[in-house]
Amino acid sequence: MYTTQMDAAKRGIITKEMEIVSKKENIEVDILRKLIAEGKVIIPANKNHKSLDPEGVGEGLKTKINVNLGISKDCCDIEKELEKVKVALDMKAEAIMDLSSYGKTEEFRRKLIKRSSAMIGTVPIYDAVGFYDKELKDITAKEFLDVVRKHAKDGVDFVTIHAGLNKNTAETFKRNKRLTNIVSRGGSLLYAWMELNNQENPFYEYYDELLDICGEYDVALSLGDACRPGSINDSTDASQIHELMVLGELTLRAWEKNVQVMIEGPGHMAINEIQANVLLEKKLCHGAPFYVLGPIVTDIAPGYDHITSAIGGALAASCGVDFLCYVTPAEHLRLPTLEDMKEGIIATKIAAHAGDLGKNIKGARDWDHAMSTARQKLDWESMFSLAIDEEKARKYRKESMPAHEDSCTMCGKMCSMRNMNKVMEGKNINMLRDED
Protein backbone atom coordinates (compact mmCIF):
# COMPACT_ATOMS: atom_id res chain seq x y z
CA MET A 1 0.00 0.00 0.00
CA TYR A 2 1.41 3.41 -0.96
CA THR A 3 1.43 6.38 1.44
CA THR A 4 1.53 9.35 -0.95
CA GLN A 5 1.23 10.05 -4.68
CA MET A 6 5.03 10.29 -4.81
CA ASP A 7 5.44 7.00 -2.98
CA ALA A 8 3.07 5.30 -5.44
CA ALA A 9 4.87 6.85 -8.41
CA LYS A 10 8.26 5.63 -7.19
CA ARG A 11 6.84 2.12 -6.80
CA GLY A 12 5.42 2.14 -10.32
CA ILE A 13 1.81 2.30 -9.09
CA ILE A 14 -0.75 4.25 -11.14
CA THR A 15 -3.27 5.86 -8.77
CA LYS A 16 -6.81 6.90 -9.68
CA GLU A 17 -5.69 10.53 -9.26
CA MET A 18 -2.92 10.01 -11.83
CA GLU A 19 -5.44 8.52 -14.26
CA ILE A 20 -7.76 11.53 -13.89
CA VAL A 21 -4.93 14.05 -14.36
CA SER A 22 -3.56 12.08 -17.31
CA LYS A 23 -6.89 12.41 -19.15
CA LYS A 24 -7.27 16.11 -18.29
CA GLU A 25 -3.79 16.93 -19.52
CA ASN A 26 -3.74 14.56 -22.51
CA ILE A 27 -0.47 13.05 -21.29
CA GLU A 28 0.45 9.37 -21.10
CA VAL A 29 -0.15 8.19 -17.56
CA ASP A 30 3.23 6.49 -17.24
CA ILE A 31 5.02 9.70 -18.28
CA LEU A 32 2.98 11.52 -15.64
CA ARG A 33 3.87 8.90 -13.04
CA LYS A 34 7.57 9.29 -13.84
CA LEU A 35 7.38 13.08 -13.44
CA ILE A 36 5.67 12.67 -10.05
CA ALA A 37 8.36 10.20 -8.95
CA GLU A 38 11.01 12.78 -9.90
CA GLY A 39 9.21 15.56 -8.01
CA LYS A 40 8.64 17.61 -11.17
CA VAL A 41 4.85 17.21 -10.97
CA ILE A 42 2.61 17.03 -7.90
CA ILE A 43 -1.02 16.03 -7.42
CA PRO A 44 -2.15 17.66 -4.14
CA ALA A 45 -4.80 15.21 -2.95
CA ASN A 46 -5.36 14.81 0.79
CA LYS A 47 -6.78 11.38 1.64
CA ASN A 48 -9.57 13.09 3.62
CA HIS A 49 -10.68 15.49 0.84
CA LYS A 50 -13.48 13.33 -0.55
CA SER A 51 -15.00 15.88 -2.96
CA LEU A 52 -11.70 16.62 -4.75
CA ASP A 53 -11.42 16.57 -8.54
CA PRO A 54 -7.62 16.24 -8.67
CA GLU A 55 -5.29 18.43 -10.70
CA GLY A 56 -1.63 18.12 -11.56
CA VAL A 57 0.85 20.96 -11.12
CA GLY A 58 4.23 20.98 -12.77
CA GLU A 59 6.37 20.34 -15.81
CA GLY A 60 4.55 19.86 -19.12
CA LEU A 61 1.07 20.51 -17.64
CA LYS A 62 -1.27 23.46 -18.06
CA THR A 63 -0.57 26.39 -15.74
CA LYS A 64 -2.99 26.28 -12.81
CA ILE A 65 -4.43 29.20 -10.85
CA ASN A 66 -5.17 29.68 -7.16
CA VAL A 67 -7.81 31.93 -5.56
CA ASN A 68 -7.27 33.34 -2.05
CA LEU A 69 -10.30 33.51 0.24
CA GLY A 70 -11.00 33.57 3.97
CA ILE A 71 -12.31 35.52 6.91
CA SER A 72 -10.43 38.20 8.81
CA LYS A 73 -11.08 40.22 11.97
CA ASP A 74 -12.42 43.14 9.95
CA CYS A 75 -14.45 40.99 7.53
CA CYS A 76 -15.64 37.79 9.20
CA ASP A 77 -18.82 36.91 7.26
CA ILE A 78 -18.52 33.18 6.51
CA GLU A 79 -21.51 33.14 4.16
CA LYS A 80 -20.02 35.88 1.98
CA GLU A 81 -16.79 33.92 1.67
CA LEU A 82 -18.70 30.74 0.83
CA GLU A 83 -20.50 32.65 -1.91
CA LYS A 84 -17.07 33.50 -3.32
CA VAL A 85 -16.16 29.81 -3.12
CA LYS A 86 -19.14 28.89 -5.32
CA VAL A 87 -18.25 31.51 -7.91
CA ALA A 88 -14.57 30.54 -7.91
CA LEU A 89 -15.54 26.91 -8.56
CA ASP A 90 -18.00 27.95 -11.29
CA MET A 91 -15.15 29.92 -12.90
CA LYS A 92 -13.02 26.75 -12.80
CA ALA A 93 -10.23 27.86 -10.49
CA GLU A 94 -8.09 24.80 -9.84
CA ALA A 95 -7.18 25.76 -6.27
CA ILE A 96 -8.54 27.78 -3.36
CA MET A 97 -6.40 28.93 -0.44
CA ASP A 98 -8.15 29.58 2.84
CA LEU A 99 -6.22 32.44 4.42
CA SER A 100 -8.60 32.84 7.36
CA SER A 101 -6.98 34.43 10.38
CA TYR A 102 -9.82 35.21 12.80
CA GLY A 103 -13.09 33.88 14.16
CA LYS A 104 -14.64 30.54 13.23
CA THR A 105 -11.76 29.44 11.02
CA GLU A 106 -12.34 25.73 11.60
CA GLU A 107 -16.01 25.99 10.66
CA PHE A 108 -15.18 27.84 7.44
CA ARG A 109 -12.32 25.47 6.54
CA ARG A 110 -14.42 22.35 7.00
CA LYS A 111 -17.32 23.74 4.97
CA LEU A 112 -14.89 24.79 2.25
CA ILE A 113 -13.26 21.35 2.04
CA LYS A 114 -16.62 19.58 2.00
CA ARG A 115 -17.94 21.73 -0.86
CA SER A 116 -14.83 22.18 -2.95
CA SER A 117 -13.85 20.04 -5.93
CA ALA A 118 -10.77 22.28 -6.26
CA MET A 119 -7.66 21.56 -4.22
CA ILE A 120 -7.52 23.46 -0.92
CA GLY A 121 -4.48 25.14 0.58
CA THR A 122 -3.93 26.87 3.91
CA VAL A 123 -1.24 28.73 5.85
CA PRO A 124 -1.54 27.10 9.31
CA ILE A 125 0.45 29.80 11.11
CA TYR A 126 -2.34 32.30 10.29
CA ASP A 127 -4.72 30.11 12.28
CA ALA A 128 -2.47 29.52 15.30
CA VAL A 129 -3.00 32.79 17.19
CA GLY A 130 -6.78 32.57 17.04
CA PHE A 131 -6.92 28.82 17.57
CA TYR A 132 -4.95 28.91 20.82
CA ASP A 133 -6.17 32.38 21.88
CA LYS A 134 -2.57 33.20 22.74
CA GLU A 135 -0.19 35.98 21.84
CA LEU A 136 2.27 34.96 19.15
CA LYS A 137 5.26 34.89 21.53
CA ASP A 138 3.57 32.35 23.81
CA ILE A 139 2.79 29.71 21.19
CA THR A 140 5.12 26.72 21.41
CA ALA A 141 6.82 24.86 18.60
CA LYS A 142 4.66 21.80 19.30
CA GLU A 143 1.52 23.92 19.09
CA PHE A 144 2.52 25.22 15.65
CA LEU A 145 2.93 21.63 14.44
CA ASP A 146 -0.37 20.61 16.03
CA VAL A 147 -2.19 23.23 13.95
CA VAL A 148 -0.64 21.77 10.81
CA ARG A 149 -1.81 18.33 11.89
CA LYS A 150 -5.34 19.65 12.45
CA HIS A 151 -5.47 21.19 8.97
CA ALA A 152 -4.12 17.98 7.46
CA LYS A 153 -6.69 15.87 9.27
CA ASP A 154 -9.48 18.20 8.08
CA GLY A 155 -8.53 17.44 4.46
CA VAL A 156 -6.32 20.31 3.29
CA ASP A 157 -4.44 19.34 0.11
CA PHE A 158 -1.42 21.64 0.49
CA VAL A 159 0.00 23.81 3.25
CA THR A 160 2.25 26.84 2.97
CA ILE A 161 5.07 26.50 5.47
CA HIS A 162 7.85 29.10 5.71
CA ALA A 163 10.52 26.61 6.74
CA GLY A 164 13.31 28.33 4.80
CA LEU A 165 13.44 31.32 7.14
CA ASN A 166 15.95 29.76 9.53
CA LYS A 167 18.40 31.62 11.75
CA ASN A 168 20.95 31.88 8.94
CA THR A 169 18.38 33.36 6.56
CA ALA A 170 17.32 35.79 9.28
CA GLU A 171 20.95 36.89 9.75
CA THR A 172 21.28 37.41 6.00
CA PHE A 173 18.16 39.58 6.12
CA LYS A 174 19.58 41.67 8.98
CA ARG A 175 22.87 42.25 7.17
CA ASN A 176 21.23 43.25 3.88
CA LYS A 177 18.76 46.07 4.43
CA ARG A 178 15.53 46.12 2.47
CA LEU A 179 13.11 48.87 1.57
CA THR A 180 10.03 46.84 2.54
CA ASN A 181 11.55 44.31 5.00
CA ILE A 182 9.61 41.02 5.22
CA VAL A 183 6.21 41.37 3.54
CA SER A 184 5.07 37.75 3.70
CA ARG A 185 2.43 37.64 6.45
CA GLY A 186 3.45 34.15 7.55
CA GLY A 187 7.13 35.01 7.20
CA SER A 188 6.81 38.14 9.30
CA LEU A 189 4.96 36.24 12.04
CA LEU A 190 7.66 33.56 12.15
CA TYR A 191 10.46 36.11 12.13
CA ALA A 192 8.80 37.94 15.02
CA TRP A 193 8.37 34.67 16.95
CA MET A 194 12.02 33.76 16.41
CA GLU A 195 13.21 37.19 17.56
CA LEU A 196 10.89 37.34 20.58
CA ASN A 197 11.89 33.85 21.75
CA ASN A 198 15.49 33.78 20.49
CA GLN A 199 14.80 30.36 18.98
CA GLU A 200 15.14 28.61 15.65
CA ASN A 201 12.18 28.54 13.27
CA PRO A 202 10.11 25.60 14.61
CA PHE A 203 9.18 24.44 11.12
CA TYR A 204 12.88 24.25 10.24
CA GLU A 205 14.01 22.74 13.54
CA TYR A 206 11.25 20.10 13.54
CA TYR A 207 11.06 19.67 9.78
CA ASP A 208 11.09 15.86 9.98
CA GLU A 209 8.00 15.92 12.22
CA LEU A 210 6.32 18.25 9.73
CA LEU A 211 7.11 15.81 6.91
CA ASP A 212 5.62 12.95 8.91
CA ILE A 213 2.34 14.86 9.19
CA CYS A 214 2.30 15.60 5.45
CA GLY A 215 3.14 12.00 4.64
CA GLU A 216 0.37 10.59 6.83
CA TYR A 217 -2.39 12.47 4.98
CA ASP A 218 -0.59 13.04 1.65
CA VAL A 219 -0.54 16.81 2.06
CA ALA A 220 1.67 18.56 -0.48
CA LEU A 221 4.18 20.92 1.08
CA SER A 222 4.20 24.39 -0.42
CA LEU A 223 7.52 25.79 0.79
CA GLY A 224 6.74 29.45 1.42
CA ASP A 225 8.96 32.36 0.47
CA ALA A 226 9.09 34.37 3.69
CA CYS A 227 11.65 36.66 2.05
CA ARG A 228 9.78 37.28 -1.17
CA PRO A 229 10.27 40.87 -2.34
CA GLY A 230 7.51 43.32 -1.49
CA SER A 231 8.87 45.94 -3.86
CA ILE A 232 10.82 45.83 -7.09
CA ASN A 233 13.66 47.46 -5.13
CA ASP A 234 14.08 44.27 -3.05
CA SER A 235 13.82 41.61 -5.75
CA THR A 236 16.53 39.01 -6.35
CA ASP A 237 18.43 40.18 -3.27
CA ALA A 238 20.56 38.22 -0.81
CA SER A 239 17.66 37.36 1.52
CA GLN A 240 15.47 35.99 -1.27
CA ILE A 241 18.25 33.89 -2.81
CA HIS A 242 19.57 32.61 0.53
CA GLU A 243 16.10 31.38 1.45
CA LEU A 244 15.68 29.78 -2.00
CA MET A 245 18.88 27.79 -1.44
CA VAL A 246 17.53 26.54 1.89
CA LEU A 247 14.26 25.58 0.20
CA GLY A 248 16.23 23.50 -2.30
CA GLU A 249 17.78 21.52 0.56
CA LEU A 250 14.40 21.09 2.24
CA THR A 251 12.94 19.83 -1.05
CA LEU A 252 15.41 16.94 -1.15
CA ARG A 253 14.63 16.07 2.46
CA ALA A 254 10.90 16.01 1.68
CA TRP A 255 11.39 13.76 -1.34
CA GLU A 256 13.33 11.29 0.82
CA LYS A 257 10.09 10.85 2.80
CA ASN A 258 7.93 10.83 -0.37
CA VAL A 259 6.29 14.17 0.47
CA GLN A 260 5.26 16.20 -2.58
CA VAL A 261 6.72 19.72 -2.77
CA MET A 262 6.19 22.95 -4.64
CA ILE A 263 8.18 26.15 -4.16
CA GLU A 264 6.62 29.58 -3.66
CA GLY A 265 8.15 32.61 -5.32
CA PRO A 266 7.89 36.38 -5.72
CA GLY A 267 6.30 38.79 -5.25
CA HIS A 268 7.22 42.18 -6.69
CA MET A 269 9.84 42.07 -9.43
CA ALA A 270 10.90 44.09 -12.47
CA ILE A 271 9.91 42.33 -15.66
CA ASN A 272 13.49 41.80 -16.85
CA GLU A 273 14.30 39.68 -13.77
CA ILE A 274 11.49 37.15 -14.12
CA GLN A 275 13.14 34.70 -16.50
CA ALA A 276 16.30 34.53 -14.38
CA ASN A 277 14.25 33.91 -11.22
CA VAL A 278 12.41 31.00 -12.81
CA LEU A 279 15.72 29.51 -13.90
CA LEU A 280 17.15 29.94 -10.38
CA GLU A 281 14.17 28.24 -8.73
CA LYS A 282 14.21 25.30 -11.12
CA LYS A 283 17.97 24.86 -10.69
CA LEU A 284 18.25 25.37 -6.93
CA CYS A 285 15.07 23.42 -6.14
CA HIS A 286 15.77 20.51 -8.49
CA GLY A 287 12.86 21.03 -10.89
CA ALA A 288 10.14 21.19 -8.22
CA PRO A 289 6.96 22.98 -9.39
CA PHE A 290 7.09 26.76 -9.00
CA TYR A 291 4.16 28.74 -7.54
CA VAL A 292 4.24 32.55 -7.75
CA LEU A 293 2.22 35.52 -6.56
CA GLY A 294 2.26 37.66 -9.68
CA PRO A 295 5.02 38.62 -10.07
CA ILE A 296 3.80 42.21 -9.75
CA VAL A 297 5.98 44.11 -12.21
CA THR A 298 5.54 47.66 -10.91
CA ASP A 299 4.68 49.13 -7.51
CA ILE A 300 2.64 52.14 -8.70
CA ALA A 301 -0.78 50.67 -9.52
CA PRO A 302 -2.95 50.06 -6.44
CA GLY A 303 -6.43 49.32 -7.71
CA TYR A 304 -4.99 47.73 -10.86
CA ASP A 305 -2.66 45.11 -9.47
CA HIS A 306 -4.62 42.34 -11.17
CA ILE A 307 -3.12 43.85 -14.35
CA THR A 308 0.44 44.33 -13.05
CA SER A 309 0.26 40.75 -11.79
CA ALA A 310 -1.12 39.32 -15.04
CA ILE A 311 1.72 40.92 -16.99
CA GLY A 312 4.28 39.25 -14.74
CA GLY A 313 2.33 36.01 -14.47
CA ALA A 314 2.09 35.56 -18.24
CA LEU A 315 5.83 36.00 -18.67
CA ALA A 316 6.60 33.80 -15.65
CA ALA A 317 4.35 31.01 -16.90
CA SER A 318 5.89 31.17 -20.36
CA CYS A 319 9.31 30.74 -18.71
CA GLY A 320 8.25 27.64 -16.79
CA VAL A 321 6.21 28.71 -13.74
CA ASP A 322 3.58 26.07 -13.03
CA PHE A 323 1.06 27.70 -10.69
CA LEU A 324 -0.16 31.31 -10.45
CA CYS A 325 -1.73 32.81 -7.35
CA TYR A 326 -4.34 35.31 -8.42
CA VAL A 327 -4.12 38.98 -7.52
CA THR A 328 -7.23 41.18 -7.42
CA PRO A 329 -7.72 44.94 -7.92
CA ALA A 330 -7.99 45.14 -4.11
CA GLU A 331 -4.41 43.93 -3.51
CA HIS A 332 -2.64 46.13 -0.92
CA LEU A 333 -5.95 47.91 -0.19
CA ARG A 334 -8.63 45.67 1.37
CA LEU A 335 -10.26 42.25 1.46
CA PRO A 336 -11.51 41.55 -2.08
CA THR A 337 -15.21 41.70 -2.87
CA LEU A 338 -16.94 39.16 -5.08
CA GLU A 339 -16.44 41.41 -8.11
CA ASP A 340 -12.78 41.93 -7.23
CA MET A 341 -12.39 38.17 -7.06
CA LYS A 342 -13.97 37.69 -10.50
CA GLU A 343 -11.64 40.26 -12.07
CA GLY A 344 -8.65 38.65 -10.39
CA ILE A 345 -9.61 35.19 -11.64
CA ILE A 346 -10.12 36.34 -15.22
CA ALA A 347 -6.84 38.28 -15.30
CA THR A 348 -4.94 35.30 -13.88
CA LYS A 349 -6.60 32.80 -16.23
CA ILE A 350 -5.56 34.99 -19.16
CA ALA A 351 -2.00 35.07 -17.85
CA ALA A 352 -1.95 31.30 -17.34
CA HIS A 353 -3.23 30.60 -20.84
CA ALA A 354 -0.84 33.10 -22.41
CA GLY A 355 1.97 31.33 -20.57
CA ASP A 356 0.79 27.95 -21.84
CA LEU A 357 0.95 29.27 -25.40
CA GLY A 358 4.49 30.49 -24.74
CA LYS A 359 5.71 27.14 -23.40
CA ASN A 360 3.86 25.14 -26.08
CA ILE A 361 1.60 23.14 -23.79
CA LYS A 362 -0.10 20.44 -25.81
CA GLY A 363 -3.50 21.61 -27.08
CA ALA A 364 -3.19 25.15 -25.71
CA ARG A 365 -3.49 26.76 -29.16
CA ASP A 366 -6.71 24.89 -30.01
CA TRP A 367 -8.83 27.38 -28.03
CA ASP A 368 -7.27 30.38 -29.80
CA HIS A 369 -7.65 28.68 -33.18
CA ALA A 370 -11.34 28.09 -32.53
CA MET A 371 -11.85 31.74 -31.51
CA SER A 372 -10.01 33.05 -34.57
CA THR A 373 -12.09 30.79 -36.81
CA ALA A 374 -15.29 32.15 -35.26
CA ARG A 375 -14.07 35.72 -35.75
CA GLN A 376 -13.23 35.07 -39.39
CA LYS A 377 -16.74 33.72 -39.91
CA LEU A 378 -18.29 36.56 -37.86
CA ASP A 379 -19.97 33.82 -35.82
CA TRP A 380 -20.94 35.82 -32.76
CA GLU A 381 -22.51 32.96 -30.81
CA SER A 382 -19.37 30.86 -31.17
CA MET A 383 -17.23 33.84 -30.15
CA PHE A 384 -19.31 34.32 -27.00
CA SER A 385 -19.19 30.64 -26.04
CA LEU A 386 -15.42 30.56 -26.51
CA ALA A 387 -14.76 33.80 -24.60
CA ILE A 388 -12.93 33.48 -21.28
CA ASP A 389 -15.69 35.73 -19.86
CA GLU A 390 -18.80 34.98 -21.90
CA GLU A 391 -21.04 37.17 -19.74
CA LYS A 392 -18.96 40.30 -20.31
CA ALA A 393 -18.56 39.67 -24.04
CA ARG A 394 -22.33 39.32 -24.48
CA LYS A 395 -22.97 42.40 -22.35
CA TYR A 396 -20.65 44.61 -24.42
CA ARG A 397 -22.19 43.46 -27.68
CA LYS A 398 -25.73 43.99 -26.41
CA GLU A 399 -24.98 47.49 -25.09
CA SER A 400 -23.90 48.73 -28.50
CA MET A 401 -25.58 46.90 -31.38
CA PRO A 402 -24.52 47.79 -34.93
CA ALA A 403 -26.80 48.58 -37.87
CA HIS A 404 -25.47 45.49 -39.64
CA GLU A 405 -25.30 42.18 -37.79
CA ASP A 406 -22.08 41.17 -39.56
CA SER A 407 -20.09 44.01 -37.93
CA CYS A 408 -19.73 45.88 -34.64
CA THR A 409 -20.11 49.56 -33.74
CA MET A 410 -16.34 50.09 -33.84
CA CYS A 411 -15.96 49.58 -37.60
CA GLY A 412 -19.46 49.10 -38.97
CA LYS A 413 -19.37 48.26 -42.70
CA MET A 414 -15.63 49.01 -42.72
CA CYS A 415 -15.09 45.79 -40.73
CA SER A 416 -12.02 44.06 -42.15
CA MET A 417 -13.40 40.56 -41.52
CA ARG A 418 -16.69 41.38 -43.27
CA ASN A 419 -15.07 43.02 -46.25
CA MET A 420 -12.31 40.45 -46.74
CA ASN A 421 -14.89 37.64 -46.61
CA LYS A 422 -16.90 39.36 -49.34
CA VAL A 423 -13.90 40.15 -51.54
CA MET A 424 -12.52 36.62 -51.17
CA GLU A 425 -15.92 35.33 -52.31
CA GLY A 426 -15.88 37.67 -55.32
CA LYS A 427 -18.64 39.92 -53.95
CA ASN A 428 -19.02 43.71 -53.91
CA ILE A 429 -18.42 45.40 -50.57
CA ASN A 430 -21.13 48.12 -50.78
CA MET A 431 -19.96 50.31 -47.89
CA LEU A 432 -22.02 53.40 -48.81
CA ARG A 433 -25.34 51.77 -49.69
CA ASP A 434 -27.45 48.83 -48.65
CA GLU A 435 -26.76 45.40 -50.07
CA ASP A 436 -28.47 44.48 -53.35
Side-chain angles (χ1 to χ4, degrees), residues 134-315:
K134 283 183 174 183
E135 288 299 333
L136 178 67
K137 178 181 183 296
D138 299 326
I139 299 173
T140 67
K142 180 182 182 301
E143 286 172 332
F144 279 128
L145 288 168
D146 284 345
V147 172
V148 178
R149 183 175 287 104
K150 184 166 190 57
H151 284 216
K153 189 175 181 180
D154 284 346
V156 167
D157 302 296
F158 65 97
V159 288
T160 292
I161 303 290
H162 301 88
L165 180 60
N166 60 14
K167 280 190 171 182
N168 287 336
T169 306
E171 289 303 315
T172 300
F173 163 72
K174 291 174 187 176
R175 291 194 305 270
N176 296 270
K177 293 194 179 298
R178 283 181 147 191
L179 180 62
T180 50
N181 294 314
I182 294 176
V183 300
S184 157
R185 191 190 335 176
S188 65
L189 290 172
L190 269 175
Y191 180 82
W193 185 91
M194 292 162 66
E195 290 292 297
L196 290 168
N197 290 286
N198 192 29
Q199 290 186 35
E200 179 59 276
N201 178 343
F203 294 120
Y204 181 80
E205 185 173 2
Y206 301 104
Y207 189 63
D208 285 331
E209 286 88 335
L210 172 68
L211 294 177
D212 289 341
I213 295 169
C214 292
E216 181 179 355
Y217 297 93
D218 197 3
V219 175
L221 188 56
S222 187
L223 288 172
D225 53 337
C227 295
R228 73 168 179 262
S231 63
I232 59 171
N233 181 82
D234 296 341
S235 62
T236 324
D237 70 350
S239 299
Q240 181 193 334
I241 302 306
H242 188 284
E243 182 182 32
L244 189 61
M245 293 169 68
V246 177
L247 296 184
E249 296 169 357
L250 295 176
T251 296
L252 295 179
R253 288 175 60 185
W255 288 349
E256 288 174 4
K257 290 198 170 189
N258 295 321
V259 172
Q260 300 184 98
V261 173
M262 60 182 164
I263 307 298
E264 296 188 14
H268 293 237
M269 178 167 290
I271 199 168
N272 61 307
E273 295 180 49
I274 292 173
Q275 184 175 10
N277 269 261
V278 177
L279 177 63
L280 277 172
E281 184 277 338
K282 292 290 184 177
K283 286 282 189 182
L284 294 174
C285 297
H286 320 288
F290 198 14
Y291 172 32
V292 298
L293 178 73
I296 291 173
V297 294
T298 176
D299 300 334
I300 64 165
Y304 298 90
D305 275 327
H306 59 312
I307 297 174
T308 64
S309 172
I311 293 167
L315 179 55

Side-chain angles (χ1 to χ4, degrees), residues 408-427:
C408 76
T409 53
M410 176 71 182
C411 300
K413 293 181 77 173
M414 288 189 180
C415 171
S416 59
M417 291 292 186
R418 171 190 182 275
N419 293 333
M420 284 303 300
N421 287 345
K422 288 181 176 293
V423 169
M424 297 293 283
E425 293 169 9
K427 295 178 180 178

